[in-house]
Amino acid sequence: MGAWLTEDQCCTVRSLNVEGIRLHAANTFKHADRAAWLKCSWTRSDVNLGHSSFVTLTPSPMTKIQLNKALAFATLLFLLATGAVLASNEDLQPSSAPDESEARALLNSGQFEEALTILRPMTKAHPGHTNIHFLMALAAIETSRLMQASNEEREALLDEAIAALHAILINHPGLVRVRLELARAFFYKEEDTLARQHFEYVLAGNPPAPVVGNVQRFLNEIRARKRWSVYVGSTLKPSTNLGRNSETEIINIFGLPFRRDTVEEEKSGVGLSIWTGGGYWYPLGERTRLRFGSDLAREEYPGKEYDQSFVGAHVGPQWLLGANTSVSLLLDSRQLWRITSPYYFDFGVRSEIKHRLSRSIWLDGQASWHDREYRKLDYLDGSTLNLTVKGAWVVLPTVRLEGALGYADDHTKSKVWRNDTRWGRLGASVILPRGYTVGGSTEFRRTRYEGNWFPFTSGEPRKDRTKIYRATVFNRAFTLYGFSPQFAITHEEKNTNSQVYGYDSTSGEIRFVRQF
């Protein structure tokens, strides 16, 4: 028969401490060669913004990993192939309407108001004739630029043109000429973010050299006149596991199974997230500006235990280095609240660089260092370093690829919680007929901790691997004040050698995306 556990062994497992996590074992023991059950209760300090809880993780079989990779690769190929088909050889076709030739002649002679007078009733008489709607939009854009047009008339004409061009692109997203005029309409309305987005898609359509030159001038003007920006958004966030908790009851210490007295249940529910912010660029010279900006966000969930608020602010110079590069150096501060209490405060520096490699490829780089101070969890105080490189490639007028690589280092006071993370993400989006836009991305993260994570490991440092899969869809044909509802679903899996820190979570989002 096997030996009984000694009193020394009892003391060893009776009170085990890892900073932020404490295990208490009861005095009930059974024979060591059988299942030795120790009733355990767990207490922990919240050290994770997402309320990560405890789970015993079973490694995924290789076949599942291979299947996930194959599905992600097949989806990417499908999106690219679909976009290529949509973008090929789509063009405007003249209609047989008798007045179209007259309207076209008026446009060619610069008589835009007269052409618009003819084309407006034609769009109602021929709702399915794409070319008539395009000519009407073109006439409205040019009429808005006439000297005698008031600001109100100008705005109304541009809105009329934008609505007509948007309607065409719902079913014909590969029409580069239509997208070019839509970009111009946004530019004249000073909706520069949307104008730049559509100009970038135009360049991916390999337009003639004179058109490329004109588009580049528009883009340069957008950058030169940029003075301020504002954003606002909200989303509903249903989730199957709000706190990323697990109902796993058993862990193993010294080869013995422990049962947790209290297991946090996986809680499902719907959260509400709202955010806003903006920035101002004050000109200090021809190629130098002073940037100011702030960001605010709030998330609320049922029961209030996962509520959080965020406020950030930055200030610093920006330099325009040539036509394709800008560099910023910013002082940056951030404050996070959990429920209604301050959680941590960051203060540091952030540098940003934006560079256009070609007319359809962009790179963004960011490096930041912050000193972080927690209100209660002193052992987590320390510094954070983040390095990120992002790239975007508009492959076709209907296909966009995005990728990112990153590195993060948290140098906490406690060696146990010191860690570094390496991550990468690849995604694609495709503009489809009937107004649909679909997208998907895959992200992989690897985190390594420095300290001894016993009893959650056998004594080695903790290592996490996280996979995040995301899919989105929205319909451009359905808009409310220029916004379309976007539906997103995200699945996240964390594999770890630490018995209690893995989780599996699926969540959704319903947000509104600006269309026009």
Side-chain angles (χ1 to χ4, degrees):
M1 298 182 64
W4 289 84
L5 294 175
T6 67
E7 180 63 21
D8 289 340
Q9 290 172 314
C10 296
C11 294
T12 302
V13 296
R14 184 174 298 159
S15 181
L16 297 171
N17 289 279
V18 176
E19 288 172 279
I21 305 167
R22 182 171 298 157
L23 167 66
H24 302 286
N27 289 326
T28 304
F29 299 93
K30 289 189 176 180
H31 206 266
D33 63 350
R34 301 173 186 172
W37 298 94
L38 300 180
K39 291 186 65 180
C40 304
S41 64
W42 295 80
T43 61
R44 66 186 175 93
S45 300
D46 283 327
V47 296
N48 188 299
L49 176 60
H51 292 269
S52 295
S53 187
F54 310 135
V55 60
T56 301
L57 191 68
T58 302
S60 301
M62 182 60 68
T63 53
K64 182 178 179 181
I65 296 175
Q66 292 173 338
L67 178 60
N68 286 335
K69 290 182 178 179
L71 287 174
F73 185 67
T75 301
L76 179 60
L77 289 180
F78 171 76
L79 292 176
L80 291 175
T82 303
V85 171
L86 293 173
S88 61
N89 299 324
E90 193 170 11
D91 202 358
L92 290 166
Q93 299 297 326
S95 72
S96 57
D99 293 334
E100 182 182 337
S101 297
E102 180 183 357
R104 190 184 296 275
L106 290 171
L107 284 171
N108 291 336
S109 63
Q111 301 179 65
F112 305 118
E113 291 179 284
E114 292 81 356
L116 186 59
T117 301
I118 294 175
L119 289 165
R120 275 176 172 155
M122 289 179 63
T123 59
K124 297 178 181 179
H126 306 280
H129 287 180
T130 299
N131 202 58
I132 292 176
H133 287 262
F134 172 75
L135 293 176
M136 188 277 292
L138 186 59
I141 292 172
E142 297 303 332
T143 301
S144 73
R145 302 182 63 201
L146 297 177
M147 294 296 294
Q148 62 267 30
S150 66
N151 289 336
E152 292 77 10
E153 291 172 335
R154 180 175 175 274
E155 289 290 315
L157 287 165
L158 290 174
D159 286 340
E160 183 180 14
I162 288 170
L165 296 168
H166 177 262
I168 295 172
L169 290 173
I170 286 174
N171 287 314
H172 306 281
L175 289 174
V176 177
R177 177 64 195 281
V178 175
R179 196 170 295 278
L180 173 62
E181 296 306 325
L182 181 60
R184 282 209 312 139
F186 281 128
F187 175 85
Y188 294 133
K189 199 179 177 185
E190 298 187 8
E191 295 278 359
D192 287 349
T193 299
L194 291 170
R196 182 176 61 250
Q197 172 186 323
H198 289 288
F199 278 133
E200 290 170 355
Y201 278 111
V202 168
L203 291 176
N206 293 318
V211 175
V212 172
N214 287 333
V215 169
Q216 295 287 9
R217 282 189 284 273
F218 278 116
L219 291 173
N220 291 339
E221 176 62 23
I222 287 173
R223 190 176 74 153
R225 76 184 186 187
K226 185 174 184 178
R227 290 293 178 269
W228 58 273
S229 67
V230 175
Y231 69 89
V232 62
S234 65
T235 179
L236 295 175
K237 301 178 69 174
S239 175
T240 61
N241 189 354
L242 291 174
R244 296 184 175 92
N245 297 323
S246 170
E247 295 183 347
T248 300
E249 298 182 3
I250 307 300
I251 69 167
N252 292 288
I253 301 176
F254 296 129
L256 303 176
F258 281 58
R259 181 186 298 276
R260 293 161 57 198
D261 272 353
T262 303
V263 179
E264 296 189 29
E265 296 181 354
E266 295 183 4
K267 296 181 180 180
S268 60
V270 179
L272 173 64
S273 177
I274 57 175
W275 60 90
T276 186
Y280 182 75
W281 287 256
Y282 180 79
L284 298 176
E286 184 178 354
R287 294 187 174 274
T288 306
R289 302 168 177 173
L290 185 62
R291 287 181 55 182
F292 304 88
S294 62
D295 306 278
L296 298 92
R298 172 69 177 170
E299 292 187 4
E300 295 188 355
Y301 297 90
K304 303 296 184 181
E305 60 184 306
Y306 303 117
D307 291 1
Q308 60 186 32
S309 301
F310 173 86
V311 175
H314 62 264
V315 60
Q318 181 190 60
W319 297 275
L320 305 180
L321 308 179
N324 298 316
T325 307
S326 67
V327 176
S328 298
L329 182 61
L330 308 169
L331 289 176
D332 193 34
S333 64
R334 304 179 298 199
Q335 174 76 62
L336 181 72
W337 286 263
R338 289 279 296 276
I339 308 179
T340 57
S341 300
Y343 190 58
Y344 68 70
F345 175 76
D346 284 349
F347 184 79
V349 294
R350 185 174 85 237
S351 63
E352 298 176 357
I353 181 169
K354 299 180 183 295
H355 179 66
R356 180 194 294 269
L357 285 178
S358 69
R359 64 189 189 187
S360 59
I361 300 177
W362 296 263
L363 286 179
D364 289 351
Q366 186 177 116
S368 66
W369 180 92
H370 292 84
D371 181 70
R372 176 168 293 178
E373 181 178 344
Y374 284 80
R375 184 186 182 192
K376 296 180 179 180
L377 309 178
D378 295 344
Y379 57 89
L380 291 179
D381 290 349
S383 62
T384 64
L385 172 68
N386 284 276
L387 305 173
T388 305
V389 177
K390 298 179 182 179
W393 177 24
V394 182
V395 185
L396 298 166
T398 54
V399 178
R400 180 184 179 95
L401 293 181
E402 293 184 347
L405 294 173
Y407 172 82
D409 180 83
D410 292 337
H411 193 81
T412 60
K413 184 185 299 183
S414 165
K415 186 176 180 180
V416 172
W417 290 99
R418 292 176 191 171
N419 68 86
D420 63 81
T421 300
R422 293 167 173 82
W423 60 272
R425 181 176 64 246
L426 181 63
S429 63
V430 176
I431 304 172
L432 301 172
R434 298 185 180 275
Y436 288 99
T437 297
V438 298
S441 66
T442 301
E443 181 174 328
F444 296 95
R445 308 179 74 92
R446 186 184 68 180
T447 302
R448 295 183 177 182
Y449 290 78
E450 291 186 15
N452 184 333
W453 272 77
F454 180 84
F456 310 110
T457 70
S458 59
E460 71 273 12
R462 172 181 162 189
K463 298 177 182 178
D464 298 343
R465 292 181 182 271
T466 305
K467 295 175 288 186
I468 304 172
Y469 306 99
R470 180 178 174 86
T472 62
V473 61
F474 67 91
N475 194 298
R476 306 180 306 278
F478 179 76
T479 60
L480 182 64
Y481 298 106
F483 290 82
S484 294
Q486 181 189 67
F487 301 90
I489 184 169
T490 302
H491 182 72
E492 185 172 344
E493 302 173 7
K494 177 182 282 188
N495 297 327
T496 178
N497 66 337
S498 177
Q499 297 181 75
V500 296
Y501 282 93
Y503 60 81
D504 193 313
S505 174
T506 300
S507 61
E509 288 186 44
I510 305 173
R511 65 169 63 194
F512 287 86
V513 179
R514 180 72 189 277
Q515 295 300 305
F516 66 92

